């Protein structure tokens, strides 16, 4: 059974940093484009950052220069380094794996930023 498991969320003061990790089982992440999404209460789930199978990255404007997505294919993991966090970054963060044949989601990890 395919599983994406996020970790690394938590409570952090504004200006602080967190590093999210997404570990995959039963799939080989190197064959998937990967993404991080987030969903704040009462809002839709929005894309935060993506990384292609060849390492091309893309970010939503609000996180450019603060967040970095990376992948470790050898360990079947994807990361999201989040710096200079602000209260607007508070949300549940989801890991996503997709290719033309399948899409998978993790269960999410809560990130709460307080001022």
């Amino acid at each position: 059974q395919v599983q994406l498991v996020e970790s690394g969320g938590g409570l952090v003061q504004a200006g602080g940093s967190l590093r999210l990790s997404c570990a995959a089982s039963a799939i080989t992440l190197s064959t998937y484009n990967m993404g991080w999404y987030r969903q704040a209460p009462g809002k839709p789930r929005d894309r935060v950052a993506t990384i292609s199978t060849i390492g091309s990255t893309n970010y939503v404007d609000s996180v450019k220069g603060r967040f970095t997505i990376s992948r470790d294919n050898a360990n079947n993991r994807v990361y999201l380094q989040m710096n200079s966090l602000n209260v607007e970054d508070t949300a549940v963060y989801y890991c996503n794996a997709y290719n033309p044949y399948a899409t998978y989601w993790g269960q999410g990890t809560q990130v709460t930023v307080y001022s």
Side-chain angles (χ1 to χ4, degrees):
Q1 182 179 353
V2 175
Q3 279 192 310
L4 299 178
V5 179
E6 302 96 335
S7 61
L11 184 65
V12 63
Q13 191 170 21
S17 298
L18 285 173
R19 188 192 194 205
L20 305 184
S21 177
C22 173
S25 58
I27 60 170
T28 302
L29 287 189
S30 62
T31 64
Y32 288 80
N33 301 298
M34 299 299 299
W36 285 96
Y37 289 70
R38 65 187 179 187
Q39 187 168 20
K43 294 187 177 181
R45 188 175 299 186
D46 291 328
R47 178 182 61 85
V48 175
T50 58
I51 185 166
S52 72
T53 54
I54 60 171
S56 298
T57 59
N58 191 274
Y59 300 90
V60 67
D61 285 346
S62 60
V63 308
K64 284 181 180 176
R66 300 189 298 124
F67 290 11
T68 303
I69 187 171
S70 61
R71 62 192 306 155
D72 180 353
N73 290 335
N75 290 298
N76 228 27
R77 286 178 177 265
V78 175
Y79 302 97
L80 185 67
Q81 177 67 44
M82 305 187 295
N83 299 327
S84 301
L85 285 161
N86 57 57
V87 294
E88 289 76 26
D89 296 317
T90 295
V92 178
Y93 284 71
Y94 297 90
C95 177
N96 169 258
Y98 62 100
N99 66 22
Y101 311 104
T103 300
Y104 301 102
W105 291 93
Q107 83 291 346
T109 185
Q110 177 70 47
V111 171
T112 303
V113 185
Y114 65 94
S115 59

